Amino acid sequence: MTARPSIADQALAETIARALTRWPEQAQRIERAAELLRIDAVRPLGGNRYSVRSQASATRSYLVVLTEDGGTCGCPDAQHRPTRLCKH
């Protein structure tokens, strides 16, 4: 017998599918972001703020603040390319 996906797993899969349809050129970043959710690397801090654990270093986390126009992140990718959204 195979396990049925949870409602959260189904919701994540649907969200990923919508994102891939809307932004196919960002497929790699979308999949990497989904993996962060799957491995429980995202922690809500309240309001629109989140702590996201780095995939490269288990001891490093980044502060992500969601805004109307996307958001901000303290990761090196976001600092290096401020006009593009990072995976976080």
Side-chain angles (χ1 to χ4, degrees):
M1 181 194 309
T2 57
R4 290 185 50 197
S6 70
I7 292 173
D9 291 337
Q10 290 173 344
L12 178 58
E14 291 168 7
T15 300
I16 294 166
R18 283 193 307 274
L20 289 170
T21 298
R22 186 168 180 187
W23 300 290
E25 72 283 357
Q26 297 293 326
Q28 185 177 12
R29 287 176 182 262
I30 291 166
E31 290 295 340
R32 291 167 100 187
E35 183 60 21
L36 290 169
L37 292 168
R38 286 185 193 106
I39 65 172
D40 203 28
V42 180
R43 298 276 183 239
L45 299 175
N48 58 347
R49 299 174 48 222
Y50 297 84
S51 173
V52 182
R53 190 175 67 239
S54 168
Q55 286 178 305
S57 170
T59 61
R60 173 175 267 163
S61 293
Y62 303 112
L63 175 64
V64 176
V65 181
L66 301 180
T67 63
E68 290 285 327
D69 60 343
T72 62
C73 180
C75 76
D77 186 40
Q79 304 308 308
H80 180 67
R81 295 186 274 187
T83 59
R84 291 184 64 192
L85 293 176
C86 66
K87 67 183 175 186
H88 305 110

